[in-house]
Amino acid sequence: MSTKIISTPENLQVLYEDNHLIAVNKRAGDIVQGDKTGDTPLSEVVKQYIKTKHNKPGNVYLGVAHRLDRPTTGIVVFAKTSKALPRLNKLFAEKDAQKTYWAVVNKMPEKENGTLIHWLKRNTKQNKSYGHKNEVPDSKKAILDYKVIKSLDRYFLLEIDLKTGRHHQIRAQLAAIGCSIKGDLKYGSDRSNKDGSIHLHARSLSFVHPVKKEMLKIIAPPPEDSVWDACT
């Protein structure tokens, strides 16, 4: 397996920045917040970027409002002020942000577009969620809309609008209909990607700016590889 490309203060892909927010394009090797691996989280990389770029003395404030799974790429928004963070948190908690994802899958869904509804049950030991057609104990309802936007030789590009925010939701729901995401061994792909990524990308995010009250739409280019390149 080749080494994962991770973000550093020098190569950080900043998609949007103002006094209150900063949005970056997360790479597959980045972890949003610190965990047991001890790897430097993206939040610390962004802090260092802000400190250097703006010559800030002392500690830099940065609030984490949402996360992406480690092998997933795309938009992550951080709050730069204590005023913006609770408002961002509320926005994501109340599903007032429109999140659109791109997923490259190994099989064409039965319909070119549709709505998937499953009951997801999380297995914390496996760090995995399982999709069920009917409600089971301790499950949560998961809903997404999808459409096929491109057919490649061996893969299909889906555009996905999340209606709920569940653990590994897109990965689990697509696996439940037999359409595993490229590279996602945990959810049924037959092989991994060399860099440890999966072909799931947080493509766009639209929301009302928590301070300026203006509509904001952020779009992230997918990583550069032959399959993503064929999608765009």
Side-chain angles (χ1 to χ4, degrees), residues 26-46:
K26 178 182 125 39
R27 292 177 168 91
D30 298 336
I31 187 160
V32 177
Q33 267 190 312
D35 70 353
K36 61 180 183 288
T37 62
D39 293 346
T40 303
L42 187 58
S43 53
E44 288 302 316
V45 173
V46 176

Side-chain angles (χ1 to χ4, degrees), residues 66-202:
H66 68 126
R67 295 161 188 78
L68 287 179
D69 299 341
R70 186 161 196 173
T72 303
T73 56
I75 303 165
V76 181
V77 180
F78 297 95
K80 289 174 65 178
T81 62
S82 54
K83 182 180 183 180
L85 181 61
R87 296 180 185 186
L88 260 190
N89 285 337
K90 186 168 184 279
L91 198 117
F92 284 113
E94 294 179 359
K95 309 290 182 287
D96 288 332
Q98 175 64 44
K99 297 177 181 179
T100 300
Y101 288 78
W102 279 0
V104 176
V105 295
N106 60 357
K107 195 179 106 181
M108 180 82 167
E110 281 184 21
K111 297 178 182 174
E112 288 211 1
N113 58 74
T115 300
L116 299 184
I117 301 172
H118 291 94
W119 292 88
L120 294 191
K121 183 163 183 174
R122 185 172 179 176
N123 182 319
T124 48
K125 280 186 180 173
Q126 293 179 312
N127 187 32
K128 187 174 176 180
S129 289
Y130 291 86
H132 300 268
K133 284 188 175 173
N134 301 305
E135 188 173 5
V136 296
D138 302 319
S139 62
K140 292 180 176 177
K141 195 174 191 179
I143 306 169
L144 63 78
D145 293 338
Y146 75 89
K147 60 182 175 185
V148 178
I149 57 173
K150 192 146 192 177
S151 296
L152 307 176
D153 289 345
R154 290 171 48 220
Y155 300 105
F156 303 89
L157 175 63
L158 309 184
E159 187 167 271
I160 293 160
D161 288 324
L162 274 184
K163 302 302 179 187
T164 52
R166 306 297 183 207
H167 175 258
H168 290 181
Q169 180 178 335
I170 296 173
R171 300 166 70 182
Q173 285 199 269
L174 291 178
I177 63 164
C179 297
S180 296
I181 295 170
K182 183 181 182 301
D184 198 358
L185 285 180
K186 178 171 276 194
Y187 285 95
S189 177
D190 57 357
R191 66 181 71 166
S192 60
N193 291 335
K194 286 180 181 175
D195 61 357
S197 69
I198 63 175
H199 276 68
L200 178 61
H201 180 69

Side-chain angles (χ1 to χ4, degrees), residues 18 20-21 77 79 81 83-89 91 207-214 216:
D18 63 20
H20 304 282
L21 309 176
V77 180
T81 62
K83 182 180 183 180
L85 181 61
R87 296 180 185 186
L88 260 190
N89 285 337
L91 198 117
F207 57 93
V208 175
H209 192 292
V211 181
K212 296 179 179 178
K213 304 300 180 191
E214 299 165 350
L216 189 61

